[in-house]
Amino acid sequence: MTFETVKQVRVRYVALIGNPNCGKTTLFNALTGLRQKVGNYPGVTVEKKEGRLTLAGNSEATLLDLPGTYSLNATSPDEKIATDILLGRAEHTQRPDVVVCVVDASNIERNLYLVSQILDRQIPVVVALNMIDVAEEAGIEVDVKMLERELGVPVVATIANKGIGINELKESIANAQSRTAQKRPWSMPALVEEECGELVGLLQQYHKLNENSAFDEALTLLTSPEALEEHRDRFAPELLAHVQKDHERLDFMGIDRQSVVVEARYEWIKSVCGKAVTQAQTSALSTSDKLDRVFTHRIWGFVIFVGLMALIFQTIFTWATVPMDLIGEGFDSIGNHIHEVMPAGDLRDLLINGGLAGVAAVVTFLPQILFLFLFLGLLEDTGYMARAAFIMDRLMSKVGLHGKSFIPMLSSFACAIPGIMATRTIESPKDRLVTMLVSPLVSCSARLPVYALLIAAFIPHDHVLGFLSLPALTLLSMYLLGLVMALSMAWLFKKTLLRGAAPLFIMELPPYKLPSLKSVLLQMWERSKLFLKNAGTIILGVSIILWFLATYPRVEGVTPAEQLQHSFVGKAGQLIEPVIKPLGFDWKIGIGIIASLLQREVFVSTMGTIYNIQNSDDESGSLSLQQQMRNDIDPETGLPVWTALTAICVMVYYVLAMQCMSTLAVLKRETNSWKWPLFQLGYMTALAYVVTFVVYRVGLLWGFGV
Ligand code: GDP
Ligand code: MG
């Protein structure tokens, strides 16, 4: 093939492409100065991210961060987006003028595969040879000039997280279009080349394709077993007949059509690396490999995983109490202040018992949520998360899924929404659906306030197993219950609704490294903003509405507790009580469950509001929410409304029930139908009800009910 010189035009639209984890997002941040989340396991970059890039001469361009992909013919939704945009096939997105292909220097052979595909397409490209520090540490040395010569495109060495090589990269981007393209550097066995050449001719003749697209189509038609079937109606019959003959000839010659192109590319890559890359002989295992012997060990790996979780929950409880008390005191003094300066009346009640009580109940848990994110961030940034996925891979294959499905589940510890988005890296549509259906069973950060409130109020602060406290153990059990249920349901769905073979997957483990505190802190900061914004809008709104419903209609001359019974909320509560009574829940818990169908934290704010109203004119109104819940007596039976068993049952219910509208909305968007979100709502609620019922009954039998 021969190509003409591309004229120099202003570069306006630039895209970053590369294998997962090669540092695209980090490079994106370095190039644009734009803040965004940096994760280090595959599947984090799932959405389109754009930023502004200033090139030489102050010209501005748009930079696009594409999802990670290993090749241009990959099939997962994520990878397909990347390919489509690159080839100008994506709707509403123009084709980039220049592509920056990020190559992980410590993994250069595998990364060059994508480069070779981009070179075929004659797309103006700059190679950013990233992670040269990691490569160097591993004894890999790359001769950049030689690599540039071999590839025929500019190569710039970078260390994205230290900002090294960024200016050179910008310069290369600005000049990328002026280079002269050249001949395809790799070649296949002569017979395949010959047939490929004929097909290119026919494709140009019958379908008026340009040379690059014709070559790409020819390769697909020659090598892919399904391509012929799939494209029957797209191509001229003469052409299809020719392809059929080609297949027969190649098969007769014993050429493996499926692998011949891949092998040809790798052969070329090997020769390029032979010239440009030197690998120092290292006999000793790297530190990463040594650590992995323990962390990914069949048994120890699992023990360490559970141990780490236990340690995290233990720390969450001990470290967070100080800032939590401070926040609680802060809200108390605001309440007291309002109480003093405002005249008694509905407005004051609304402010204190409605708005403030609800918001305070939730915001108190901010420190615990922040600690959770601190630990999740550290685990992710050190590279441990990938190991967690790796050890879970063994379990996952038993339920018919692979480790790739565990990554969304790990994200779901933060929130099911990014978890569901992360399933876009899963190729099989059925496996993807199964993963989306079960990911919300993993305990997200919105459940933490519910667990934390109930554990603090009803689980004794005894010590078990040495360092571990009973509260931390309870919390660990809730998280494990969610995880076990997610795996069990995945197994069930794979056996019944969504049958399919367990896919093969080779997990890749990035080297361990010291976490970047900056990115972890940034993430915590973003989380707090989100959490506080939510408290100031949704939680506040729901609390105010709830206050009205719990205060009216007014009845004269009764105690606040009786007034609450007669309110709309009280009436509604009595209506649903028969449904939840078998679970050991009273009507207030029922109201909490209904209100928190919106999102789970609302349960906590609902308790805050309802208890404040109930106790608004006696001494106990000034007690903490935990105290008020402990003191609550059922007027009919004279027994406490809450026991440790009730608290555990409510927690179990929250582990399993689908109490999050946003997750359902995202599932609707991802599956494009209401069928699956409704199914998810139905099966999770039923599961929650049945399991809670069993726990309650068994608990009663064992005499835990008092
Ligand atoms: P992406 O999946 O391609 O977007 O990769 P990320 O940008 O999320 O990077 C993955 C991890 O590699 C992050 O923890 C980065 O901090 C880290 N990283 C990126 N570039 C470099 C580099 O040049 N050197 C080193 N040592 N780490 C890097
Ligand atoms: Mg990324």
Side-chain angles (χ1 to χ4, degrees), residues 636-656:
E636 279 169 37
T637 59
L639 293 172
V641 168
W642 290 90
T643 63
L645 180 61
T646 325
I648 286 174
C649 287
V650 173
M651 281 189 266
V652 168
Y653 189 86
Y654 273 86
V655 172
L656 303 173

Side-chain angles (χ1 to χ4, degrees), residues 21 23-26 36-39 44-45 49 65-66 68:
N21 279 320
K24 278 185 314 304
T25 307
T26 316
Q36 99 185 62
K37 184 174 157 36
V38 180
V44 174
T45 310
K49 281 169 191 147
D65 184 17
L66 294 174

Side-chain angles (χ1 to χ4, degrees), residues 37 365-374 376-377 380 411-419 444-446 519-535 601:
K37 184 174 157 36
F365 293 101
L366 178 63
Q368 290 190 325
I369 294 203
L370 284 184
F371 277 118
L372 179 70
F373 278 99
L374 171 68
L376 286 180
E380 194 181 307
S411 307
S412 301
F413 278 117
C415 172
I417 292 170
C444 62
S445 60
S519 76
V520 174
L521 290 178
L522 201 67
Q523 240 183 84
M524 288 170 65
W525 167 241
E526 303 282 328
R527 272 289 144 180
S528 334
K529 275 197 302 195
L530 210 69
F531 184 80
L532 291 176
K533 192 174 146 224
N534 185 39
E601 304 104 302

Side-chain angles (χ1 to χ4, degrees), residues 88-138:
R89 291 191 303 223
E91 279 174 64
H92 310 302
T93 311
Q94 80 186 83
R95 185 185 180 137
D97 304 321
V98 175
V99 170
V100 177
C101 187
V102 187
V103 163
D104 173 355
S106 66
N107 242 320
I108 192 160
E109 288 200 8
R110 197 198 58 211
N111 279 247
L112 283 180
Y113 188 83
L114 180 63
V115 175
S116 92
Q117 286 192 317
I118 293 173
L119 290 180
D120 285 356
R121 294 308 194 126
Q122 298 296 321
I123 302 165
V125 63
V126 175
V127 169
L129 186 67
N130 194 33
M131 308 240 187
I132 46 169
D133 55 333
V134 181
E136 228 160 79
E137 220 165 277

